[in-house]
Amino acid sequence: MKTFLSLLLVCALISPALASNEKEQERVKESGVVLKEILNIPDDIPQDLLDKAECIIILPSVKKGAFGIGGSYGRGVMICRGGEHYTGAWGAPALYALEGVNIGFQLGGEATDFVLLVMNPKGARSLLSSKVKLGGDASAAAGPKGRTAEGATDVVMNAEILSYSRTKGLFAGISLEGSTLRSDGSANEKLYGRKLSAKDIIRGGKVGIPASAHELVSLLEKKSPKNRSDPKSLE
C-alpha cells in the first residue's frame, strides 16, 4: 500500500511538470503548420524575399477583441538563421507576442494568421533586445505577393519588417504599424525549462531545437536553405 501511494505521489509531481509546457509546444507546432500552408499558396510570399529574410515571425490565429475593444493579441514564434551574420542554418525558435489597438479593425472579427519577415540585422537586433513598436522602433510595411518582389515600392524594399496575413484562406500583405512585438519571457521559460532571453535562445546558442519545432525548421531548411541577402547588408 505504501509503495502504491508513493508511486501515486511521484506521478502527481511529475505529471504537471511534463504538461506545463504543453501549450507552448502546441504553439510552436501550430506555427509550423501555418507557415507550411502559407508557403503552399500559389501566390504566396515572394521567394526572393524569403531568401533574404534573416528571421521569420509566425503568429497563428490572432483574434480580435482579446486585448480590449478594437484591439488584438496574438502569440507565436520568431525563428532566425544562425551564425554571426545570419548565414547559417535555421535555429531554435523563441516565443513572441503581438499586441495592438489598431489591427483589430483590419481583422474583421475573424481569427487571422500572420507571417512577418525580418529583412535585416538591425530589425532582428531590435526584436531581440526589447519590445518593438512597428512603424516606430522598426520600419514596417505590407509585404508584396507573387513569385518575385519585382515592382515592389522603395518603402517595401527598405522596410525592416514585411508583414502578411491570412483570414479565411485570403492571403495578403497587411500593415501592422502601431502594433508591438515582444519576447514572451514566461512562455520561453516554460518551453525550455529555464529562464532565457530571446537573444539567449536565438543568438546565444544556449538551447537545442525542441522536438515541437522540427517540422518548422525542416520546412525552412527546404524552402530557404541559404541567405541570399547582399553580404554587405549583413555586416
Side-chain angles (χ1 to χ4, degrees):
M1 186 66 180
K2 285 184 179 180
T3 303
F4 177 70
L5 290 174
S6 297
L7 286 171
L8 283 179
L9 180 60
V10 169
C11 290
L13 292 171
I14 291 176
S15 295
L18 292 174
S20 62
N21 68 355
E22 186 176 324
K23 189 181 293 183
E24 287 70 31
Q25 290 185 53
E26 191 58 36
R27 187 165 148 194
V28 175
K29 289 179 182 177
E30 189 178 356
S31 296
V33 170
V34 165
L35 186 62
K36 182 178 181 179
E37 290 174 353
I38 286 177
L39 292 183
N40 284 331
I41 294 172
D43 194 22
D44 67 348
I45 299 169
Q47 185 65 44
D48 52 344
L49 290 182
L50 183 63
D51 288 341
K52 290 177 181 176
E54 275 67 78
C55 306
I56 297 179
I57 298 167
I58 308 111
L59 300 146
S61 300
V62 176
K63 291 178 180 157
K64 178 180 176 180
F67 188 65
I69 298 173
S72 301
Y73 182 81
R75 296 172 184 264
V77 306
M78 175 170 165
I79 182 168
C80 299
R81 301 180 195 270
E84 182 183 357
H85 299 297
Y86 298 91
T87 55
W90 294 93
L95 299 178
Y96 269 72
L98 172 78
E99 299 164 345
V101 293
N102 297 319
I103 62 175
F105 295 107
Q106 299 169 351
L107 301 181
E110 300 292 338
T112 300
D113 303 317
F114 289 106
V115 173
L116 287 72
L117 305 184
V118 184
M119 301 306 298
N120 58 45
K122 182 183 175 185
R125 285 193 296 268
S126 296
L127 286 163
L128 290 172
S129 60
S130 63
K131 185 175 182 178
V132 169
K133 185 174 182 179
L134 301 181
D137 303 317
S139 61
K145 297 193 306 174
R147 293 181 181 273
T148 72
E150 288 180 8
T153 65
D154 288 342
V155 172
V156 168
M157 297 311 293
N158 293 324
E160 293 173 1
I161 297 173
L162 298 175
S163 48
Y164 295 87
S165 69
R166 181 184 66 165
T167 306
K168 280 191 171 180
L170 179 64
F171 179 71
I174 188 170
S175 173
L176 292 177
E177 283 196 13
S179 306
T180 59
L181 278 166
R182 63 171 176 81
S183 171
D184 194 343
S186 60
N188 282 318
E189 184 175 357
K190 287 179 182 178
L191 180 64
Y192 290 105
R194 55 196 172 109
K195 201 164 187 175
L196 294 163
S197 68
K199 190 173 182 179
D200 289 335
I201 296 166
I202 289 176
R203 303 294 287 163
K206 295 188 176 182
V207 296
I209 297 171
S212 54
H214 285 173
E215 184 175 356
L216 173 59
V217 173
S218 296
L219 173 66
L220 286 169
E221 287 294 342
K222 179 182 177 181
K223 293 286 187 178
S224 183
K226 185 176 180 180
N227 189 339
R228 299 188 183 279
S229 298
D230 180 349
K232 290 183 178 179
S233 70
L234 299 174
E235 293 177 357

